[in-house]
């Protein structure tokens, strides 16, 4: 099977997708029980809630990531690198607006939480800072979206899988060390924020190097 054949590339990309699917499951299987035991049910529930907020903010994307991937793949197939560059600049601007909107929403949630849920919010006020960190994590995930879409468009699943595996490993291990050392939820999310920022920088450098 020739290395440049479509069959080889399809097999290679499928293999990386399978690895990328099972890798997080392995970490979750072994690390989650330790984290739940160390944090306790209440704090782990808060961790899941904040993580869900990050995922929900992804709805602000409105399909932009899929559209960028589609058009990037089209221009890449035509070897129209000028159009790819223009699209990347436009997508970066749109994703930046989306990222800023996500941060603003988290700030508003913290500022007006008392008015929306006066009784419940007061009990969990100590965790409100986590929502702001969640907004910053969403910010770095979103501004990295163009780089991620570009890698998918040019079918570099090997890179997306390797970076994703590294991100999963770093995030899981940082959580594990944080809880074993008696760290709080804030320390866990701060570590995740740092890792998200580093992954965004890494993706950006990889895309620039490849293209």
């Amino acid at each position: 099977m020739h290395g440049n054949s479509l069959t080889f590339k399809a097999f290679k990309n499928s293999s990386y997708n399978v690895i990328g699917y099972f890798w997080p499951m392995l970490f979750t299987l072994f690390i989650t029980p330790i984290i739940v035991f160390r944090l306790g049910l209440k704090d782990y529930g808060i961790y899941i809630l904040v993580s869900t907020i990050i995922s929900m903010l992804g709805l602000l994307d409105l399909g932009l990531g899929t559209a960028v991937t589609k058009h990037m793949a089209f221009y890449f197939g035509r070897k129209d690198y000028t159009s790819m560059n223009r699209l990347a600049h436009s997508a970066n601007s749109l994703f930046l607006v989306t990222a800023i909107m996500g941060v603003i929403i988290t700030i508003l949630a913290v500022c007006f939480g008392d008015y929306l849920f006066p009784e419940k919010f007061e009990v969990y006020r100590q965790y409100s800072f986590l929502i702001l960190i969640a907004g910053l994590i969403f910010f770095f995930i979103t501004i990295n979206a163009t780089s991620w879409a570009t890698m998918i468009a040019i079918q570099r699943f090997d890179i997306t899988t390797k970076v994703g595996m590294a991100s999963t490993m770093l995030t899981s291990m940082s959580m594990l060390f944080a809880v074993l050392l008696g760290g709080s939820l804030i320390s866990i999310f701060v570590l995740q924020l740092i890792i998200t920022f580093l992954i965004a920088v890494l993706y950006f450098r990889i895309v620039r190097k490849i293209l």
Side-chain angles (χ1 to χ4, degrees), residues 12-192:
K12 178 181 177 182
N13 289 332
S14 298
S15 299
Y16 274 110
N17 276 335
V18 171
I19 295 172
Y21 177 78
F22 284 103
W23 182 260
M25 292 177 61
L26 292 175
F27 269 89
T28 301
L29 181 64
F30 290 103
I31 292 179
T32 300
I34 301 175
I35 294 174
V36 173
F37 177 76
R38 290 282 183 169
L39 282 179
L41 292 179
K42 179 182 177 181
D43 280 0
Y44 185 72
I46 297 296
Y47 169 79
I48 295 297
L49 174 63
V50 176
S51 299
T52 303
I53 291 174
I54 298 174
S55 300
M56 292 292 290
L57 288 173
L59 295 174
L60 295 172
D61 177 274
L62 298 177
L64 178 60
T66 302
V68 173
T69 302
K70 175 184 180 297
H71 288 286
M72 277 288 186
F74 174 74
Y75 292 136
F76 182 71
R78 297 178 59 181
K79 300 186 185 303
D80 188 352
Y81 302 115
T82 301
S83 295
M84 289 182 69
N85 188 53
R86 286 202 301 265
L87 175 60
H89 284 293
S90 299
N92 282 333
S93 299
L94 291 173
F95 280 124
L96 178 60
V97 172
T98 303
I100 293 174
M101 287 176 59
V103 173
I104 292 174
I105 289 174
T106 57
I107 293 174
L108 292 176
V110 172
C111 292
F112 296 99
D114 283 334
Y115 300 99
L116 298 176
F117 310 101
E119 296 181 2
K120 296 294 184 181
F121 195 84
E122 185 63 32
V123 177
Y124 296 98
R125 179 178 295 278
Q126 57 179 315
Y127 299 102
S128 60
F129 186 67
L130 297 177
I131 300 177
L132 297 178
I133 299 178
L136 292 176
I137 292 175
F138 172 76
F139 178 87
F140 289 118
I141 291 175
T142 304
I143 62 174
N144 185 42
T146 301
S147 299
W148 183 85
T150 302
M151 290 294 96
I152 296 298
I154 65 177
Q155 298 185 22
R156 292 306 304 267
F157 293 94
D158 54 332
I159 293 177
T160 56
T161 300
K162 290 176 181 177
V163 175
M165 289 171 63
S167 177
T168 299
M169 183 178 67
L170 289 173
T171 300
S172 300
M173 295 306 296
S174 66
M175 284 184 62
L176 181 61
F177 283 122
V179 297
L180 290 178
L181 294 175
S184 63
L185 280 174
I186 290 181
S187 64
I188 291 175
F189 278 103
V190 167
L191 287 172
Q192 289 193 17

